[in-house]
Amino acid sequence: MSDQDLITVKVHGVHRVAEGVAAFELVREDGEPFPEWAPGAHIDVVIGEGLERQYSLCGDPAADKTWTIAVLREPESRGGSRRLHDEVAEGTPLAVRGPRNEFPLESSPQYLFIAGGIGITPLLPMVRALAAVGADWRLVYGGRQAASMAFVDDLAEFGGRVTVWPEDQFGLIDLEALLGEPADGVKVYCCGPGPLIDAVEARCAEWPPGALHVERFRPREGALDGERTGFQVRLDASGLTLDVGPDQSIAEVVEAAGVDIMTSCREGTCGTCETTVLDGVPDHRDSLLTQEEKAANDTMMICCSRSRTPLLVLDL
């Protein structure tokens, strides 16, 4: 993990926004404004030595002195959410990096947002921005139960444009009713648990190309699997040719060679390590690039993806 562009922050406030969900307001230690961001952006939060996680910004982009993230305490936490909930309080120092936006809000005549649980966080600034300009949009927000669904009170101001769908009352979101008929001129944005995103992707398979936009917090099921053979990478800037073993990632090998690169999630979901491919064919194992982007083979996530050819030439 590179220390490049880290910003030292402190927690200005912690607020419980739903059962098991806390919102953390961050301010810079130096009192300066944060970098600009747009709806869909996320930041890397360095919670402790070797522990770094990505969280969507869910506050107001115009509030340049405060960044807000909301964190679900995961029952099977790998350490990040547990530490934030149990050990981080007002005044706690942290380090952050970003923002970075792999989930941008694109222009469209109409929008359909589908959120599951903590997946509401990147969508909240989107619907606020669209409401401010009088755009045509609708949000369907599902969760296990109403008490566990963050920001429901905030969304009440949008009236009938928002449908709150607690599973214990209504069952699973009726995706067939929402997506069964492909529609022109509609952008669909979805964020939430993997099974929800998988189901939305399946129903949008017949929609116009580019209609669906998703963001995953975890790798797609099976994305990191597959045969692992050795290959070589050539770094174009230095001319270095490096061997990548079956049990190594490109990022690990490049770092071991003393080349400074940016990485974060190490599982192909955050986009930090996206690298331009100058020659060769990547074996894409990320959960971020679209099928069209993967087919183009001009960028790859070097934290997890591998090579289909004996040599990859990278813009490093």
Side-chain angles (χ1 to χ4, degrees):
M1 178 186 70
S2 170
D3 288 338
Q4 180 181 348
D5 299 325
L6 281 175
I7 301 171
T8 303
V9 302
K10 63 181 177 181
V11 177
H12 181 65
V14 182
H15 310 283
R16 183 178 182 272
V17 292
E19 187 177 285
V21 182
F24 297 82
E25 295 179 3
L26 310 176
V27 297
R28 291 180 65 134
E29 283 277 17
D30 59 14
E32 292 296 311
F34 282 112
E36 293 183 0
W37 63 280
H42 68 267
I43 59 173
D44 306 323
V45 180
V46 182
I47 305 165
E49 185 65 32
L51 190 60
E52 184 171 341
R53 296 290 183 265
Q54 293 72 47
Y55 297 104
S56 298
L57 290 169
C58 58
D60 180 0
D64 60 3
K65 291 295 187 76
T66 305
W67 276 353
T68 302
I69 60 173
V71 181
L72 170 67
R73 184 187 176 100
E74 298 276 4
E76 299 178 3
S77 171
R78 297 170 295 167
S81 70
R82 179 196 57 76
R83 186 171 297 183
L84 281 169
H85 275 259
D86 293 350
E87 301 177 19
V88 172
E90 184 174 343
T92 300
L94 294 169
V96 302
R97 183 189 293 110
R100 187 169 52 257
N101 200 335
E102 304 290 343
F103 193 46
L105 182 62
E106 297 182 359
S107 178
S108 178
Q110 189 176 0
Y111 299 86
L112 171 61
F113 297 96
I114 303 173
I118 199 63
I120 190 62
T121 51
L123 303 185
L124 186 59
M126 293 186 183
V127 301
R128 285 173 172 159
L130 293 174
V133 297
D136 186 0
W137 61 274
R138 180 187 178 193
L139 166 66
V140 179
Y141 176 19
R144 295 187 309 278
Q145 54 189 12
S148 68
M149 298 171 69
F151 304 115
V152 169
D153 291 344
D154 299 66
L155 292 167
E157 67 176 284
F158 302 121
R161 289 192 180 274
V162 176
T163 301
V164 177
W165 197 294
E167 184 178 339
D168 63 344
Q169 296 181 40
F170 306 121
L172 298 176
I173 294 174
D174 188 353
L175 296 179
E176 186 60 30
L178 292 174
L179 304 169
E181 292 293 331
D184 292 324
V186 179
K187 294 283 188 184
V188 180
Y189 281 78
C190 178
C191 186
L196 172 65
I197 296 177
D198 291 343
V200 169
E201 286 182 331
R203 284 167 175 80
C204 285
E206 303 302 319
W207 280 58
L212 176 62
H213 302 261
V214 305
E215 181 164 70
R216 293 177 180 269
F217 296 139
R218 295 284 184 272
R220 188 191 309 271
E221 186 72 25
L224 302 176
D225 299 340
E227 185 179 5
R228 300 177 65 89
T229 59
F231 56 94
Q232 291 185 315
V233 293
R234 181 178 302 146
L235 311 186
D236 185 66
S238 63
L240 279 175
T241 299
L242 307 172
D243 293 318
V244 181
D247 296 323
Q248 297 174 297
S249 71
I250 297 173
E252 290 170 342
V253 171
V254 171
E255 287 173 327
V259 178
D260 188 29
I261 58 172
M262 294 284 289
T263 65
S264 185
C265 73
R266 300 279 178 160
E267 56 186 15
T269 59
C270 75
T272 307
C273 69
E274 186 170 1
T275 302
T276 298
V277 179
L278 301 176
D279 197 16
V281 181
D283 178 5
H284 296 287
R285 302 190 183 188
D286 67 274
S287 299
L288 185 61
L289 295 175
T290 66
Q291 291 305 312
E292 292 80 9
E293 289 169 334
K294 290 179 179 180
N297 287 324
D298 50 14
T299 68
M300 68 183 298
M301 306 302 162
I302 61 173
C303 69
C304 63
S305 294
R306 305 190 65 78
S307 182
R308 298 186 183 277
T309 51
L311 176 68
L312 284 175
V313 182
L314 302 179
D315 188 18
L316 287 174

